[in-house]
Amino acid sequence: MRAAGRTVRARLRDRIAASDPGLLRLTAGLRTVGAIALTLLVLSLLRADVHILVAGAMAAMVATFAIREKQPAAQAVTLALGLPVALASVSLGAVLNTRLFVGDVFFVVLIFCAVYGRRFGDRGTALGLIGFQVYFLSLFVGATASTLPALCGALAVAFCSSALMRFAVVPATPTGVLLRLRLAFRARLAQLVAAQVELLDAPADEMDKALEAVREGTARLHETAMMIQGRLEEGTPDESAARLVQRRIADAEIAAERLGLLLLTARTAERADTLTLHLPGAPAPSLAGPELPDEAGATLRRDLQALHALVLRAGSGDTGTGLAHVRNRLLGYRDEENLPPASAAVQDVFRGIGESARAVLGLRIALDGPQDESDDSPATARSREELDAEDAAIDGGEGAEQEEQTGLRRPTTRAAVQVAVGSSLAIVGGELLSTQRWYWAVLTCWIVFLNTASTGEILVKGYRRLLGTVFGVVAGIVLAGLVGGHTWTAFALVLVLIFAMFYTAPLSYTLMSFFVTAMLGLLYTLLHTYSLDVLVLRIQETALGAACGVVAAALVLPVQTDRRTNELLGTVLERLAEVTEAAVGQLSGGPADELLDKARDLDQALADLRAATQPLIHPVTPLRTRRHTARYVVALLETCAYHARTLAATAELLPTHPSIAADPRLRGAAGRTVRNIGVIAARVADEHAGAQVETGPSIASLLGSDAGTPRYGRITDRVLRHLERLDEAVVGLARPLGVPVAAPKG
């Protein structure tokens, strides 16, 4: 009974960890709700009126979500600096809100300074956000000089409550967050293996659904790996430990992705080069593949389920003989003589299972320390020796510095000017709609500029906010009718909506806007200013603010979506060329390089490009051809990134892996591919560039590969396959990007 209870708890823990990596959304929601509840409790004991209660609740929310630093000491400093900024902002708001022209001018100046402050990092961003939001708070509650002392006291209580929740009740150290992210990585890895089992068993008419689950699982695993990458520096004791975790996470991610591709190849009628990650509905291989033989399918199913169990039990501390037996069997597939008799494609899957088991073993050693080796088979012992040699060879390196833009080219300066102009328009238009609640238009204009970098992104964000606001107004009407004059019931519902707002914010901006607007309906009820006209005005002001933001972005120092995506595409191509050239250079015997760092830089550049293309692939986009082109280009870049990551991971093994040796024949093998990447990048930067993409004989034939070489006798054969597919994908990029392709030389 106890064992069953532990199993249920473990499954529940894994589900929660996988759905919210690092528990970051849960932590944010609990901190904010806790800070607001504590503030309301203290202020109610002090017999504050409802206006002060609302102000305190809003201030507690701002003081909690504005802080972005990862280290607790830095958070404490920013929170301490935020209180005087908040007090100054609310004081100026109380004095200036009755002076129409002077107050409006100051508000615009404050907005400019708040956005410009982003150039100073997380602290500058937080202080600017606190200054703006607290000034908005003063307008919302109608602050006056007579109510200023009570408002300042409420702000002090709110900041103290936020500090108590952050540092005592719901603490989150970088080490603890990284530990939870590791658990999430394991849980998502297990979910991906489970999806791969479903792909193996799926009948032909359900293959597309099973493939979609594998795609989604691979994307979620990659997302978690990137989150871990962003917190390694703060969450590990030294650089060597950080690089060790980085290496093992990368190994596990690449092995799992490769296993999915091998399974797809075994189940389909054609070679699978990519799962087209993150792009549901993007081009995929034909799914009309042959059924696997019963015996081979049964063995594969057994071993995939065993791999799934191995992943799940890797973090449980289970070191029993059953686990050792499973691990030994799966690692044995890394030796050719242990492969079951089957077709070449099916044997590739067994090899992929063996490599995945090795990655899981390395992940467990890196995260949990040395393990019991008494039941190791010879294959497992060899894998441990390889991992130990790799661990000993890991050393830190310095990253390259990026050139900083200056003047109006600096994104923060440009955004500050744009927001100031848009806010000025919003103030004028907002006051024409309502002389009392014009600030809603300014708030929307401010928000649509947050975390956006092009006119298209601002347009999409404004649309999503307006959509969420419309539905939120309907919910606000219903909730206001239910709670009526029940003050504490309304506050309880406000807390629920705020938690939902923070928990859904990273998932859906429309949902977040919905919960914000529904919450505001309750706040208006508490302030006794609720009416249907007020909520309709909220929609009008939101639409106006979004329109002002789009107009400012389009007319003032504009960054067109095409220009933005072209710049990011150029960066992706540059990173792709760097990773490919460095990996092949090291595989051919050249000097060691920081390949994993370069590969992660490529991943980050691709993630930025993917985000920037959202306006192009949004369902409301009328230009279908451009939408399909954008999706197709990103899908091909996903293919390129996968092969480049695999080449980098293989090259990283060279110094320590006993069965992998540098092959001088590979020197220059990626020359044509790298040149083609450069040609495409030049054409993206300048549409008049005249160079052509080259095609010709296969890379393997150019190297004079021996026909008698065993299929997996040398690592060169695997490298050549990835280089071939990378070369094909790069040539494939030429057509949608309008780059001419030279005819093959006879």
Side-chain angles (χ1 to χ4, degrees):
M1 183 67 71
R2 290 182 180 178
R6 284 196 298 269
T7 301
V8 171
R9 288 195 298 271
R11 289 178 179 175
L12 179 61
R13 180 198 65 188
D14 289 341
R15 285 183 177 274
I16 294 174
S19 64
D20 182 14
L23 302 183
L24 298 178
R25 290 185 285 128
L26 180 64
T27 300
L30 290 178
R31 277 180 176 173
T32 306
V33 169
I36 294 173
L38 184 58
T39 301
L40 292 175
L41 176 62
V42 173
L43 293 178
S44 65
L45 293 176
L46 296 175
R47 301 185 183 280
D49 66 27
V50 70
H51 287 75
I52 302 302
L53 290 175
V54 170
M58 295 179 68
M61 181 173 65
V62 173
T64 305
F65 78 74
I67 310 300
R68 300 291 180 87
E69 287 101 339
K70 298 180 177 66
Q71 294 290 353
Q75 295 172 5
V77 172
T78 303
L79 197 58
L81 293 174
L83 180 56
V85 170
L87 294 176
S89 186
V90 75
S91 300
L92 289 168
V95 173
L96 298 177
N97 64 7
T98 57
R99 302 181 182 183
L100 184 62
F101 179 76
V102 177
D104 291 349
V105 171
F106 174 77
F107 200 10
V108 172
V109 172
L110 174 63
I111 289 170
F112 177 88
C113 294
V115 176
Y116 186 78
R118 298 180 199 172
R119 65 168 297 196
F120 301 108
D122 289 338
R123 181 162 297 158
T125 302
L127 295 179
L129 188 58
I130 290 171
F132 171 82
Q133 292 286 0
V134 172
Y135 192 89
F136 171 83
L137 179 157
S138 70
L139 299 175
F140 182 77
V141 299
T144 62
S146 60
T147 60
L148 188 56
L151 284 173
C152 290
L155 290 179
V157 171
F159 273 74
C160 291
S161 299
S162 177
L164 183 62
M165 293 300 299
R166 177 178 295 274
F167 301 117
V169 181
V170 191
T173 63
T175 302
V177 171
L178 184 58
L179 176 61
R180 291 194 291 271
L181 284 173
R182 293 170 180 176
L183 295 175
F185 185 86
R186 281 170 165 160
R188 287 190 166 183
L189 179 58
Q191 289 180 344
L192 175 56
V193 176
Q196 291 170 346
V197 175
E198 295 297 325
L199 178 64
L200 176 69
D201 291 335
D205 59 343
E206 296 183 9
M207 276 283 288
D208 54 347
K209 182 179 179 181
L211 176 58
E212 185 60 38
V214 173
R215 283 179 181 169
E216 182 180 353
T218 307
R220 284 160 60 87
L221 187 69
H222 180 72
E223 175 194 29
T224 312
M226 293 297 291
M227 294 174 71
I228 291 174
Q229 172 72 17
R231 293 181 178 268
L232 280 176
E233 184 177 347
E234 294 85 3
T236 47
D238 54 58
E239 189 173 358
S240 294
R243 291 192 62 78
L244 174 60
V245 174
Q246 180 190 34
R247 167 77 68 84
R248 296 300 165 233
I249 292 292
D251 287 346
E253 179 192 354
I254 291 171
E257 184 174 3
R258 182 168 180 269
L259 179 58
L261 285 171
L262 294 173
L263 268 171
L264 187 57
T265 299
R267 283 296 321 263
T268 57
E270 58 186 82
R271 185 187 70 191
D273 289 342
T274 179
L275 296 172
T276 55
L277 307 183
H278 315 282
L279 291 171
S286 170
L287 300 180
E291 295 292 332
L292 295 178
D294 291 341
E295 184 177 352
T299 306
L300 270 182
R301 185 180 305 106
R302 180 202 66 181
D303 289 332
L304 282 171
Q305 291 171 343
L307 179 63
H308 180 261
L310 193 68
V311 173
L312 284 177
R313 296 165 69 183
S316 65
D318 189 341
T319 57
T321 56
L323 181 65
H325 174 73
V326 168
R327 183 178 61 238
N328 291 340
R329 185 178 77 246
L330 300 186
L331 287 171
Y333 292 140
R334 300 184 67 218
D335 296 332
E336 294 292 314
E337 59 270 17
N338 293 329
L339 293 174
S343 66
V346 173
Q347 284 192 334
D348 281 349
V349 179
F350 282 108
R351 292 186 185 96
I353 291 174
E355 293 299 326
S356 297
R358 179 190 185 275
V360 172
L361 175 64
L363 194 63
R364 180 170 188 177
I365 294 173
L367 302 184
D368 301 332
Q371 310 295 319
D372 181 15
E373 305 177 16
S374 59
D375 295 317
D376 282 358
S377 66
T380 303
R382 284 196 300 273
S383 295
R384 286 191 191 275
E385 291 171 1
E386 295 169 6
L387 293 168
D388 291 341
E390 292 171 21
D391 296 349
I394 289 177
D395 194 6
E398 295 294 331
E401 295 184 1
Q402 295 184 347
E403 179 183 357
E404 183 180 2
Q405 295 180 326
T406 59
L408 292 177
R409 295 177 58 201
R410 181 183 287 122
T412 50
T413 305
R414 181 176 60 245
V417 173
Q418 290 176 323
V419 177
V421 173
S423 298
S424 300
L425 296 175
I427 288 174
V428 174
E431 289 185 342
L432 291 176
L433 286 175
S434 171
T435 57
Q436 293 182 325
R437 295 185 176 85
W438 53 268
Y439 42 78
W440 287 121
V442 181
L443 179 67
T444 299
C445 182
W446 156 279
I447 287 176
V448 296
F449 274 95
L450 293 178
N451 300 318
T452 54
S454 70
T455 305
E457 291 178 65
I458 291 170
L459 179 61
V460 170
K461 191 171 184 180
Y463 159 78
R464 288 171 174 167
R465 183 167 183 84
L466 181 59
L467 186 65
T469 299
V470 170
F471 287 106
V473 163
V474 176
I477 293 173
V478 174
L479 292 175
L482 291 176
V483 299
H486 302 286
T487 300
W488 291 109
T489 303
F491 270 124
L493 283 175
V494 165
L495 293 178
V496 172
L497 291 171
I498 288 176
F499 179 83
M501 175 180 70
F502 278 91
Y503 198 77
T504 59
L507 304 177
S508 170
Y509 187 72
T510 302
L511 268 179
M512 187 198 75
S513 300
F514 167 81
F515 289 121
V516 168
T517 305
M519 175 196 69
L520 290 173
L522 290 175
L523 291 182
Y524 278 131
T525 302
L526 291 170
L527 295 174
H528 305 295
T529 56
Y530 166 80
S531 69
L532 180 60
D533 291 339
V534 168
L535 293 180
V536 171
L537 179 63
R538 163 78 171 152
I539 295 177
Q540 295 172 334
E541 297 279 3
T542 298
L544 175 65
C548 290
V550 172
V551 169
L555 300 181
V556 182
L557 305 174
V559 177
Q560 300 299 332
T561 303
D562 287 344
R563 173 186 154 195
R564 168 74 174 163
T565 53
N566 284 344
E567 289 177 351
L568 293 174
L569 176 57
T571 302
V572 171
L573 293 171
E574 179 183 347
R575 299 286 184 269
L576 178 62
E578 289 176 355
V579 174
T580 303
E581 193 168 26
V584 174
Q586 190 165 323
L587 286 164
S588 62
D593 205 341
E594 301 298 336
L595 293 176
L596 286 182
D597 289 340
K598 290 181 182 294
R600 285 308 180 199
D601 289 342
L602 170 61
D603 287 337
Q604 186 58 58
L606 189 53
D608 293 340
L609 175 63
R610 194 179 305 111
T613 58
Q614 289 303 306
L616 302 179
I617 64 175
H618 196 276
V620 301
T621 300
L623 304 176
R624 292 191 175 185
T625 301
R626 190 171 67 163
R627 180 170 63 195
H628 293 323
T629 299
R631 291 167 66 89
Y632 184 65
V633 167
V634 176
L636 284 177
L637 289 171
E638 292 281 4
T639 302
C640 295
Y642 163 69
H643 294 301
R645 279 198 305 269
T646 305
L647 288 171
T650 304
E652 284 276 343
L653 299 176
L654 271 180
T656 55
H657 202 295
S659 63
I660 299 179
D663 189 337
R665 297 184 307 160
L666 289 171
R667 194 178 307 277
R672 184 176 70 193
T673 304
V674 172
R675 285 193 300 273
N676 284 342
I677 294 173
V679 168
I680 296 173
R683 184 59 178 259
V684 169
D686 179 8
E687 63 181 9
H688 300 295
Q692 295 180 319
V693 167
E694 300 177 10
T695 59
S698 69
I699 293 175
S701 66
L702 291 175
L703 265 62
S705 182
D706 300 331
T709 299
R711 179 176 173 84
Y712 275 77
R714 286 202 300 249
I715 200 65
T716 301
D717 299 293
R718 181 184 296 182
V719 170
L720 286 176
R721 281 197 299 278
H722 286 294
L723 280 174
E724 286 282 2
R725 297 180 184 184
L726 176 59
D727 187 65
E728 293 168 5
V730 170
V731 173
L733 282 170
R735 182 183 61 79
L737 295 176
V739 184
V741 179
K745 297 180 181 179

